[in-house]
Amino acid sequence: MRKTYTVMNPAGIHARPARKIVDAAAQYPCNTYLVKNGNAYNAKSLVNMISIGARFGDQIVVIADGQDAEAAMEAIGAVLTCPSLK
């Protein structure tokens, strides 16, 4: 499964949103990745999430494969589209 989300946090994906993405992904047994500019990043890795370098307005593709893939994708998408994570 794959779905595109727009980063709505004015500060982009920095340490706190990155941690929330990792926490959301860790709740599900499926494989989850975020894709930006053709590069895939493991959503369960904090280092990967910080290094993605996503800014406000960037388009991020979330890919999930396996058990509970849809739920994992929606949980990560909720973090990406939340404008108020500081």
Side-chain angles (χ1 to χ4, degrees), residues 4-75:
T4 303
Y5 295 93
T6 301
V7 176
M8 297 307 295
N9 187 329
I13 297 178
H14 54 86
R16 183 162 291 140
R19 168 50 65 194
K20 292 205 177 271
I21 291 169
V22 171
D23 289 347
Q27 294 179 43
Y28 303 96
C30 60
N31 297 314
T32 51
Y33 298 92
L34 273 62
V35 179
K36 180 181 177 237
N37 297 331
N39 297 314
Y41 300 85
N42 183 342
K44 294 182 180 181
S45 165
L46 184 58
V47 171
N48 276 213
M49 291 301 93
I50 291 172
S51 67
I52 196 169
R55 296 185 172 136
F56 176 78
D58 283 352
Q59 298 287 304
I60 303 293
V61 177
V62 178
I63 298 174
D65 181 33
Q67 182 181 349
D68 296 328
E70 186 172 358
M73 192 171 50
E74 293 301 324

Side-chain angles (χ1 to χ4, degrees), residues 72-86:
M73 192 171 50
E74 293 301 324
I76 294 168
V79 176
L80 292 172
T81 59
C82 181
S84 62
L85 289 176
K86 303 281 182 194

